[in-house]
Amino acid sequence: VRLVIEEEYDVLLPTPEAHETLGKQMCGELAAVLSIGEERVSILGFERGSVVVNINLLASENPSMEVSADMLAQELARLAADPYSRLRDYPSLANIHSAATLPPFPPTGAIFQPASQPEVELSSKPGQTHLESESPAVTGPPLDAA
């Protein structure tokens, strides 16, 4: 999922410590909003363009008992589109402008990932990188383009 927060990047994230602090806070608050464990939320990073947050919502270890990652992504997009949704009750989520559901991001380089998350295989074939896999590509204009 790609979240867009209506905040100035350099104001919200002036230091590397701010990245980690916001990542931890968002992980906990997203888990609370979606009624899932924090281990199912992985904050992969922040980009300029207001503030763009790339996250993965992970599958449950017990999929028959919990909502799928796809359904969680759809719910998050629905909540982001509603200016009166419960997202607005959480400090790190209050200014989310939009949420786009995308194919999962490669999990490497997560700035905040709870310790209980398992390692994820990036490719479907031994020796193949995630860029060479058959996953659909995410394309579009640069995020910081006006």
Side-chain angles (χ1 to χ4, degrees):
V1 176
R2 177 167 285 158
L3 303 175
V4 177
I5 302 173
E6 288 185 354
E7 293 281 341
E8 290 292 325
Y9 185 92
D10 291 327
V11 172
L12 188 62
L13 299 165
T15 65
E17 293 80 17
H19 286 235
E20 185 174 340
T21 299
L22 183 60
K24 287 178 183 178
Q25 183 179 6
M26 288 188 81
C27 183
E29 292 179 358
L30 285 167
V33 164
L34 297 170
S35 300
I36 59 174
E38 285 187 30
E39 71 279 358
R40 294 189 63 192
V41 180
S42 179
I43 308 293
L44 301 174
F46 300 96
E47 299 174 8
R48 294 181 184 275
S50 293
V51 177
V52 178
V53 185
N54 296 319
I55 66 170
N56 277 342
L57 297 172
L58 306 173
S60 171
E61 290 182 15
N62 189 355
S64 65
M65 298 298 290
E66 294 194 43
V67 178
S68 73
D70 288 337
M71 291 178 74
L72 291 170
Q74 291 171 14
E75 174 66 2
L76 186 54
R78 185 190 68 74
L79 291 169
D82 179 355
Y84 303 105
S85 77
R86 63 184 181 268
L87 280 180
R88 313 307 168 204
D89 296 334
Y90 293 86
S92 73
L93 309 177
N95 292 325
I96 289 178
H97 171 66
S98 64
T101 57
L102 304 169
F105 294 97
T108 58
I111 62 163
F112 183 75
Q113 185 170 2
S116 61
Q117 287 183 356
E119 290 294 318
V120 178
E121 181 64 37
L122 290 179
S123 64
S124 57
K125 299 175 187 168
Q128 180 185 42
T129 69
H130 71 280
L131 298 175
E132 299 167 332
S133 71
E134 297 172 10
S135 301
V138 177
T139 60
L143 293 174
D144 56 354

